Amino acid sequence: QKEVEQNSGPLSVPEGAIASLNCTYSDRGSQSFFWYRQYSGKSPELIMFIYSNGDKEDGRFTAQLNKASQYVSLLIRDSQPSDSATYLCAVTQGGSEKLVFGKGTKLTVNP
Amino acid sequence: NAGVTQTPKFQVLKTGQSMTLQCAQDMNHNSMYWYRQDPGMGLRLIYYSASEGTTDKGEVPNGYNVSRLNKREFSLRLESAAPSQTSVYFCASTLTQNYGYTFGSGTRLTVV
C-alpha cells in the first residue's frame, strides 16, 4: 500500500498569518495531487489540485509540488477562523484514478 | 444539481444484522468509490468501480460487498455487521483522475 504522510498537528496559527501544511508520498508513479478540506462532521471538499512541479495559486491558497522530493504542500495566506478544519492530502495511486489519502492535519486559526 | 447523494445519514445496527448503503451521483461520472473514515486512520478505500459493470477491491474490502447497479448508483452491503465496522462511510465519484473526487455527505454507522 502506497503511503501518504502528513503531520497530524494540531497546527495553530493566529488570524492573518500564513498556515503551511506539508505532505510526503511514497509512490513515484503518482501523477495528480489534491488538497481537501474537511470541517468537523462534514465530508471532504476539494480546494486545490496540482499536477506539475512548481506552484499553483488560487486566491489565498497556494499548492506546491516537488516530484523529485515527493513532497506536496499547501500554503494558506491571511488565515481566517473559517479556515479551521482538517486538511487532507491525497495522491493518485500510480497512473490510476484511485486516491490514497493522508490522515490529515488539523488546523486551528485563532482570532 | 444534487452531486453525490448517500442514504441513510445515520444507522445503528446490531451485530450480525445486514444493511445496504446507497449512493447515487448525477454528474455522469464514470468512477465511483466507497471509503471508510476512522479516527486516527484517515480515509481508507473499501471498493471502487471504474465503470458500469466493473468493481474492484480496495485496501479494506473484508466484510463488504458492492454493486454497480448502473452508471449512477453504487451500493455497499454489509452482510453480517461487526462492531469493527462502526465508522463513517463516504461515497465519492470522479470523471477522470485530473478532477479529484466529489464526496457524498456520509453515513455514520454504529454497530452494537
Side-chain angles (χ1 to χ4, degrees), chain B residues 38-90:
Chain B
D38 303 290
M41 300 296 293
L43 283 160
R44 293 181 293 168
L45 182 63
I46 305 170
Y47 270 95
Y48 67 100
S49 171
S51 62
E52 184 179 352
T54 67
T55 61
D56 284 291
K57 296 178 180 179
E59 180 186 357
V60 288
N62 291 343
Y64 305 95
N65 285 300
V66 291
S67 295
R68 183 75 181 266
L69 304 172
N70 47 54
K71 191 170 186 178
R72 293 185 63 248
E73 298 173 287
F74 188 37
S75 63
L76 178 72
R77 183 161 178 84
L78 287 69
E79 291 291 351
S80 179
S84 61
Q85 294 178 305
T86 293
S87 187
V88 180
Y89 291 85
F90 288 105

Side-chain angles (χ1 to χ4, degrees), chain A:
Chain A
Q1 172 65 24
K2 306 300 183 182
E3 295 184 345
V4 176
E5 301 287 341
Q6 296 180 252
N7 289 330
S8 60
L11 174 65
S12 182
V13 300
E15 183 175 355
I18 296 175
S20 178
L21 304 164
N22 303 314
C23 172
T24 59
Y25 61 95
S26 64
D27 185 358
R28 286 197 172 275
S30 297
Q31 298 179 4
S32 304
F33 307 84
F34 303 89
W35 284 99
Y36 287 82
R37 177 177 62 200
Q38 187 175 26
Y39 292 114
S40 180
K42 301 295 186 182
S43 59
E45 59 176 321
L46 181 66
I47 55 171
M48 287 289 289
F49 59 88
I50 188 167
Y51 313 131
S52 303
N53 279 328
D55 296 357
K56 179 181 178 182
E57 187 175 318
D58 184 1
R60 297 186 295 112
F61 298 97
T62 298
Q64 299 174 316
L65 174 61
N66 184 325
K67 289 186 178 180
S69 299
Q70 296 176 247
Y71 177 87
V72 191
S73 67
L74 179 70
L75 300 177
I76 306 175
R77 291 181 300 280
D78 189 23
S79 295
Q80 301 297 308
S82 59
D83 295 325
S84 298
T86 296
Y87 289 80
L88 306 174
C89 174
V91 174
T92 52
Q93 186 172 327
S96 76
E97 294 173 348
K98 290 187 291 182
L99 287 180
V100 180
F101 286 83
K103 295 179 181 178
T105 298
K106 185 174 182 178
L107 171 67
T108 300
V109 181
N110 301 303

